[in-house]
Amino acid sequence: MFYIGREASKLWKRFCAEVTTEINLLAENWKYLLAGLVCQYIHGLAAHGVHYLHKPGPTLQDLGFFLLPELGRDKAYLSETLFTIIFVSFFLWTFHPFILKNKKIYTVLIWCRVLSFLAASQALRIVTFYSTQLPGPNYHCREGSELATLPPPKSVIEVLLINFPHGVLYGCGDLIFSSHMIFTLVFVLTYQKYGTQRCIKQLGWLLAVIQSLLIIASRKHYTVDVVVAWYTVNLVVFFVEKKLPEIPDRNSAATALLLPMSVKDKDGWTKEENHKLMNGNSVDPAEWRQRTQSNGKISEKGSAYHADSAMNGA
């Protein structure tokens, strides 16, 4: 009981220290997070708006439809289930520094990057599906379905509210390119750079491929919607990332700051030193050894690097 109580106390102190750090980062970056969330709403509004323009028609000839058997209405939930698993898993991973010792990322800064990738990709998506409206292959978008077309809106409020969540689940016309693949690929690419478990990185790419096949098999998108998403999102992340500042390196000094310390140790830190540590900088290069890192990427577990070599650029 004594051991459990002591570990619980350490966990609580670690959690409180991490909350303090993230609140400070949130105070500096809340505008970027808010802008990213606003872009999400604009994307939803645009997807809902194109539904008013959708004209149901015969399903277009598609190679993926020819190769993959149709799942049917009763199994169409499989793609949504997998997407939910990917989304929730990534969301929980971004908050793992609050409870785990191996702190490698800052939650606020990670979400700033993720939202910027999503906003850029979705802006391109809005341009493409408004340029040409294709007949939706989904069951509720086909000829004869009452949901395939929307009556003219009675008020502006009806459009602005997006008929959530019904309007999101049963939308038509927003095809090229797949929004589900935008989220999936952005999450996988982000973990590829900042994650530490190699097996999870490989699993992430496998799930992205399975997600692509399920989307086509459930007839939610044409094959072109998925193919375009694969190369567009990768290119967007590649170019946008070059414009964003790199996330500060959480070296051993910064990690030590967030771990529970004695009152004597806390009193020894000055305000200026605390500020430096929160930004990922060492107070004394001779005393603290920089955490291993290569080109801004978190080194994977199981890979051996030497900190001295990394610091010398080797």
Side-chain angles (χ1 to χ4, degrees):
M1 293 298 296
F2 174 77
Y3 175 80
I4 295 176
R6 184 178 61 179
E7 292 301 315
S9 177
K10 290 182 178 180
L11 180 61
W12 174 249
K13 291 179 180 178
R14 185 182 304 119
F15 177 81
C16 293
E18 193 68 29
V19 169
T20 302
T21 302
E22 294 293 344
I23 288 177
N24 291 333
L25 291 174
L26 181 61
E28 298 176 0
N29 299 278
W30 67 269
K31 295 181 180 179
Y32 303 107
L33 292 175
L34 180 59
L37 295 177
V38 170
C39 289
Q40 295 303 302
Y41 171 74
I42 294 175
H43 172 259
L45 188 64
H48 181 64
V50 78
H51 196 170
Y52 291 102
L53 305 176
H54 177 255
K55 301 296 181 182
T59 303
L60 302 179
Q61 183 176 349
D62 190 276
L63 179 61
F65 293 176
F66 176 77
L67 296 177
L68 295 175
E70 189 171 351
L71 291 178
R73 290 177 180 269
D74 56 334
K75 296 181 180 179
Y77 68 90
L78 292 177
S79 63
E80 290 296 331
T81 301
L82 179 58
F83 176 76
T84 302
I85 293 174
I86 295 174
F87 187 96
V88 173
S89 300
F90 180 82
F91 181 83
L92 294 177
W93 170 76
T94 60
F95 286 89
H96 81 274
F98 286 86
I99 56 176
L100 300 180
K101 291 183 179 180
N102 56 336
K103 304 176 179 68
K104 306 297 182 184
I105 61 171
Y106 294 100
T107 303
V108 170
L109 300 183
I110 279 290
W111 277 107
C112 284
R113 302 178 78 84
V114 168
L115 289 173
S116 65
F117 298 150
L118 292 176
S121 300
Q122 290 166 343
L124 295 176
R125 181 174 187 261
I126 292 173
V127 172
T128 54
F129 67 63
Y130 266 104
S131 299
T132 303
Q133 287 85 47
L134 303 178
N138 211 334
Y139 303 106
H140 62 270
C141 298
R142 299 175 183 177
E143 289 181 303
S145 174
E146 297 180 355
L147 301 175
T149 57
L150 291 179
K154 298 178 181 179
S155 64
V156 178
I157 299 298
E158 181 181 341
V159 178
L160 295 179
L161 293 181
I162 317 179
N163 194 18
F164 185 85
H166 188 273
V168 176
L169 297 176
Y170 296 98
C172 297
D174 56 327
L175 292 175
I176 301 176
F177 42 97
S178 172
S179 178
H180 283 57
M181 289 309 302
I182 291 178
F183 280 90
T184 299
L185 292 173
V186 166
F187 293 164
V188 172
L189 288 168
T190 301
Y191 188 84
Q192 177 69 31
K193 181 172 183 179
Y194 297 103
T196 57
Q197 300 291 341
R198 181 178 299 177
C199 60
I200 297 181
K201 295 179 181 181
Q202 297 171 347
L203 177 62
W205 287 112
L206 177 61
L207 292 180
V209 173
I210 296 176
Q211 177 73 54
S212 303
L213 300 177
L214 287 177
I215 289 175
I216 299 172
S218 60
R219 304 302 189 253
K220 294 183 177 180
H221 280 276
Y222 293 107
T223 305
V224 65
D225 304 337
V226 175
V227 172
V228 171
W230 268 92
Y231 62 75
T232 302
V233 175
N234 277 276
L235 289 174
V236 167
V237 172
F238 175 79
F239 286 107
V240 173
E241 199 167 44
K242 291 182 176 294
K243 302 296 183 180
L244 297 177
E246 186 53 70
I247 293 180
D249 179 19
R250 296 193 75 153
N251 53 29
S252 57
T255 304
L257 174 68
L258 298 177
L259 292 176
M261 297 183 297
S262 64
V263 177
K264 182 178 179 180
D265 292 335
K266 290 182 180 180
D267 293 339
W269 295 107
T270 65
K271 183 176 180 180
E272 181 180 357
E273 290 170 341
N274 283 336
H275 181 70
K276 290 182 178 180
L277 290 176
M278 287 176 61
N279 291 329
N281 300 322
S282 260
V283 176
D284 185 2
E287 180 180 358
W288 296 102
R289 185 178 296 275
Q290 186 178 8
R291 185 179 62 78
T292 306
Q293 188 175 7
S294 176
N295 295 329
K297 297 183 179 180
I298 305 300
S299 46
E300 299 174 359
K301 290 186 176 180
S303 301
Y305 296 99
H306 296 287
D308 293 336
S309 299
M311 294 176 65
N312 293 329

